[in-house]
Amino acid sequence: MIGSDARILLHLLRGQRRQGSHAERLQHFYAPQAAYYDRFRERLLHGRAQLIAALDPAPGAYLVELGAGTGRNLLYLGERLDTLGRIDLVDLCPALLDEARRRTAGLARVRVIEADAADYRPEGPVDCVYCAYSLTMMPNWRAVLANALAMLRPGGTLGVVDFYVSDAQGGPGNTRHGALARAFWPRWFAHDGVHPSPEPLRWLRDHLPDHQLDEHLAPIPYLPGLRVPYYRFVGRKSLADSRQD
């Protein structure tokens, strides 16, 4: 584990390059570390199991994960995976999707799709859309969330877990992070193409007033004493909302 962690840390220290398209930057950054991606991030990306549990998909449900990466989050479904109707795993990075295809080989209900999360549309309305530590890596996150809301059936569920920082006044949740946290974490993560801010959570709360929100602090591997803020959001699309735009 130490050897694979060292390789991951080396790539994190090098950071994500600034040249090329978003898809090209992702591939360049993640291809060398794809085989070790999940092992390191198990200790970094907290709250994913709790998000999947809170989504509580019913038997036969149609799920879409936007920014699915290696497909690791499927394992949090446990035995429910066998009861679902269909799951689409959507991502823009071929190297991570190769890992997802290996992980889901033989799972007839699962489709692995290379596409931009802002543009992908399923064949029909879905019951649940979720993003786990992917919105902060998407420059067009507003378009992604609008797309997610549009593909949901009325009454469907949108779930997000991700890093963030509050604004100076406190919120858009119930927590006010200090000035040091608000300055440090966006600069720390930006080196690797991750951009925590208050805006995605503000969008979610404004567009999905029927929601549950939890805010937490998580440890960072090899940085003892530091805790990064993250939130877990589960919102329900209004039964009166039939948008498909």
Side-chain angles (χ1 to χ4, degrees):
M1 185 174 73
I2 294 176
S4 63
D5 278 6
R7 286 189 283 269
I8 292 290
L9 291 169
L10 178 61
H11 289 293
L12 294 177
L13 288 171
R14 288 174 176 169
Q16 189 178 127
R17 69 179 183 180
R18 303 296 182 258
Q19 298 79 26
S21 67
H22 182 49
E24 290 168 341
R25 295 195 304 273
L26 289 174
Q27 179 68 3
H28 182 267
F29 184 62
Y30 285 115
Q33 54 175 304
Y36 315 104
Y37 180 93
D38 292 315
R39 191 178 307 165
F40 182 83
R41 285 164 176 83
E42 289 296 326
R43 290 164 286 149
L44 176 63
L45 308 182
H46 296 266
R48 294 178 293 167
Q50 293 82 0
L51 176 72
I52 299 300
L55 295 175
D56 194 22
Y62 184 179
L63 277 64
V64 173
E65 181 175 2
L66 299 176
T70 65
R72 166 63 180 90
N73 297 321
L74 280 183
L75 301 184
Y76 295 120
L77 287 164
E79 294 180 356
R80 290 186 180 185
L81 185 59
D82 295 327
T83 72
L84 299 175
R86 177 168 147 182
I87 305 172
D88 292 352
L89 303 180
V90 181
D91 203 280
L92 200 56
C93 180
L96 297 182
L97 290 174
D98 285 343
E99 296 296 319
R101 291 187 182 96
R102 281 191 281 272
R103 172 168 276 140
T104 60
L107 297 178
R109 295 180 177 87
V110 179
R111 297 196 313 166
V112 178
I113 300 161
E114 183 178 340
D116 191 318
D119 300 326
Y120 172 73
R121 283 298 178 91
E123 296 170 0
V126 306
D127 299 290
C128 178
V129 182
Y130 61 101
C131 303
Y133 292 98
S134 56
L135 278 182
T136 45
M137 302 191 69
M138 298 175 179
N140 54 349
W141 62 264
R142 288 183 179 83
V144 172
L145 287 177
N147 190 36
L149 191 58
M151 70 176 72
L152 274 177
R153 65 168 176 80
T157 303
L158 174 58
V160 179
V161 60
D162 214 331
F163 300 122
Y164 90 116
V165 291
S166 76
D167 60 26
Q169 291 72 40
N174 303 310
T175 301
R176 178 184 181 275
H177 301 129
L180 180 59
R182 298 196 312 272
F184 176 75
W185 291 117
R187 287 171 173 80
W188 174 271
F189 280 112
H191 182 64
D192 298 316
V194 178
H195 301 281
S197 85
E199 295 308 317
L201 182 53
R202 179 173 288 113
W203 192 103
L204 288 164
R205 299 195 77 186
D206 287 347
H207 287 79
L208 293 164
D210 180 9
H211 66 259
Q212 296 177 333
L213 171 64
D214 298 298
E215 300 169 81
H216 303 276
L217 297 173
I220 300 291
Y222 300 105
L223 294 176
L226 290 183
R227 297 292 185 270
V228 60
Y230 74 96
Y231 68 91
R232 189 171 61 247
F233 176 97
V234 177
R236 188 170 301 278
K237 183 175 179 178
S238 168
L239 289 170
D241 189 346
S242 59
R243 76 183 73 185
Q244 290 292 316
D245 50 11

